[in-house]
């Protein structure tokens, strides 16, 4: 777990320094606080995407357990909200400009992922375990 947090931190700062903007997907839990704004009902179900830029956050601190304390600006007026993002609630970080995304798979269980495995099997006709199997029949030379 510590390595994942270290990778998240390093990638986060690399993207922020090189591209100026990082997106973070955060799931809802009682451990995470987003100022007085909080989570809307939709965000409680689907999660929230936080945008970090050089200008919209203050006092950004990654704690030893991987949690984040910061003051983030929300809305058109960049209204400051004190935020505490628990490490277990950070799902992924990504950047469109860098074309990079780091997902945490330790919290994803395909069987309990809200029908994701069913959707996958409907589109491909195979389950997720079948998608990993590559047939070598077309690569083998026939004995003639």
């Amino acid at each position: 777990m510590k390595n994942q947090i270290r990778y998240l931190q390093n990638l986060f700062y690399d993207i922020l320094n090189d591209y100026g903007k990082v997106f973070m997907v955060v799931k809802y839990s009682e451990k995470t606080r987003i100022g007085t704004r909080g989570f809307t009902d939709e965000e409680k179900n689907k999660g929230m995407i936080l945008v970090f830029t050089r200008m919209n956050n203050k006092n950004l601190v990654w704690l030893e357990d991987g949690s984040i304390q910061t003051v983030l600006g929300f809305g058109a007026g960049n209204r400051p909200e004190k935020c505490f993002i628990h490490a277990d609630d950070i799902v992924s970080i990504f950047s469109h400009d860098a074309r990079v995304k780091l997902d945490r798979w330790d919290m994803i269980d395909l069987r309990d992922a809200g029908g994701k495995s069913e959707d996958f099997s409907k589109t491909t006709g195979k389950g997720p375990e079948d998608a990993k199997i590559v047939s070598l029949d077309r690569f083998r030379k026939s004995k003639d």
Side-chain angles (χ1 to χ4, degrees), residues 93-111:
I93 61 171
F94 64 95
S95 168
H96 297 292
D97 298 331
R99 299 178 187 215
V100 173
K101 181 177 182 184
L102 180 63
D103 290 324
R104 288 188 44 205
W105 286 30
D106 62 327
M107 63 180 54
I108 297 174
D109 184 7
L110 289 177
R111 285 168 268 139

Side-chain angles (χ1 to χ4, degrees), residues 110-111 117-118 120-121 124-134:
L110 289 177
R111 285 168 268 139
S117 61
E118 289 176 21
F120 181 79
S121 62
T124 63
K126 300 176 182 178
E129 58 278 345
D130 293 336
K132 296 177 185 175
I133 299 172
V134 177

